Amino acid sequence: MIQALKKLEEDARREVSSLSDSKALDGLRVKYLGRKGLFASLSSRISEVPPEARRQAGQEINRVKQLLEALFSEKEKTLIPHPRFSEKKIDVTMPGTFLPAGRLHPLSRVIAEVSRIFGRLGFSVVEGPEVETEHHNFEALNIPLDHPARDSFDTFYLENGRLLRSQTSTVQIRVMEKSRPPLKIIAPGKVYRPDATDATHSFMFHQIEGLMVDEGTSFSELKGVLLAFAKEFFGSRTKLRFRPHFFPFTEPSAEIDIFWESCGEWLEILGAGMVHPNVFRAVHIDPEKYTGFAFGMGVERLAMLKYGVSDIRNFFENDLRFLRQF
Ligand code: PHE
C-alpha cells in the first residue's frame, strides 16, 4: 500500500510537471483526485491492510492527499487561466496593426501657420460666406458697376442675384458692418474667378485677408506687420518690396514682393494698402477719425513658394503621391 502510494505520488508529479495548459490540468485532477480517481480507489483499499500497519498507511494516505492537492493548486497558478489565451499563444514581439494616420493638406497647413503668426501679432481669425451679395463684393469696396476694375474681379453669378465672392475683401465689409474699431482681423477662405486653369491659375483658390483699423493706424504699421509676418513665414533674412499699385478699396495701394534665399528673385505675394475713405463711409465708420490698412494674399502662392511646388493644380487633384510629401 505504502509503495503504491509512493508510485502514485511520483506519477502525479511527473504528469503535472510536463503539463502546459489548464484544460489538461483539469483532466489530470479528475484522474488523480476525482471521486473515482486513482487516489480514491487506492485509499479505499485501506481495509485490506493488516491492522498493525494501518496507522502508518493512514498517515501516508493523508500525506499524499495533501501533497497532491498542493501540487495541483501550485501548478494552476503558473498557467494562464483564460482558455482563449491558453489555446493560442501570443507573440508579443510581433509588429502591431498600423492604422494609416491622416495629415493636413498643404493649403490647410499654410492657413494654420499664417493664422498662428498673425495671432501672435494680435489679429483674430474670422470667416465670411462664399456666396455673397454684389454689394459686399463690389459696391461697398468702392467698385461701382461701371468701374473697369470690376473686370479683374468678375466672378460667377447665381440665379438668385448673388455671386461667388472673387476676393476675401468682402469679409472686411462684413466685419466693419458689425463691429467698431479698433479692429485687427484676418480672414482665410475660398474665392472664385472665371480664370482658365493653368500652372498658376485656378477658377477657385484661397486668400487670406487682413484688416487693421484704429485711430492713427499708419502705412508704416502695415509695413511692420507684413515684414514681421514674412520673416517668420519665410525666414529671418526675407526682404519685402512695395510697388505702387491700384486697388479701388485702398489708397495708397501697393503690390508687395518678397525676396528670400530659396527662390533668389523678387516674387509678388500680396496686395495691400490703406483703407479707402469710401469703404469706411459704406460701413458708417468716420474716415476723419479712423484710418486702417488692409491686405490680401494668395494661399496657393505662399504654399508654392514655401514648398517649391510648380503647378497649382497639384493642390486640387487629390493625388496622394503629392499629398503624402507634406
Ligand atoms: N482683394 C485684392 C485681390 O484679390 C487683394 C487686396 C486685399 C488688396 C486688400 C488690397 C487690400 O487682389
Side-chain angles (χ1 to χ4, degrees), residues 153 166-167 169 172 193 207 209 247 249-250 271-273 294-296:
F153 294 115
S166 54
Q167 48 185 343
S169 301
Q172 289 183 38
R193 293 191 193 173
Q207 286 187 326
E209 193 78 9
F247 293 108
F249 33 89
T250 47
F295 57 85

Side-chain angles (χ1 to χ4, degrees), residues 40-82:
S41 70
L42 190 59
S43 57
S44 69
R45 281 163 47 199
I46 183 108
S47 54
E48 296 163 19
V49 175
E52 63 277 11
R54 258 188 215 165
R55 204 176 115 89
Q56 210 201 339
Q59 280 171 355
E60 192 60 11
I61 284 172
N62 283 337
R63 187 188 66 81
V64 172
K65 180 160 195 220
Q66 278 168 19
L67 183 133
L68 287 179
E69 276 164 358
L71 192 68
F72 279 101
S73 68
E74 283 303 308
K75 183 73 183 181
E76 194 162 31
K77 281 185 209 151
T78 69
L79 297 174
I80 304 164
H82 199 289

Side-chain angles (χ1 to χ4, degrees), residues 141 143 152-153 166-170 172 191 193 205 207-211 245-250 252-255 268 270-275 293-298:
L141 286 166
I143 317 177
S152 54
F153 294 115
S166 54
Q167 48 185 343
T168 46
S169 301
T170 53
Q172 289 183 38
V191 299
R193 293 191 193 173
F205 58 96
Q207 286 187 326
I208 299 176
E209 193 78 9
L211 175 72
H245 194 72
F246 172 79
F247 293 108
F249 33 89
T250 47
S253 306
E255 272 188 339
E268 187 204 324
L270 55 94
M274 301 305 291
V275 178
F293 63 73
F295 57 85
M297 49 183 128

Side-chain angles (χ1 to χ4, degrees), residues 4 26 76 93 120 124 150 179 221 253 262 271 282 310 316:
D26 287 342
E76 194 162 31
T93 65
R120 288 180 43 199
S124 35
R150 274 222 184 187
S179 342
E221 280 169 288
S253 306
S262 15
S310 55
F316 307 123

Side-chain angles (χ1 to χ4, degrees), residues 175-187:
V175 166
M176 290 192 285
E177 280 171 345
K178 284 223 185 84
S179 342
R180 299 289 94 182
L183 297 168
K184 278 174 98 177
I185 59 102
I186 60 162

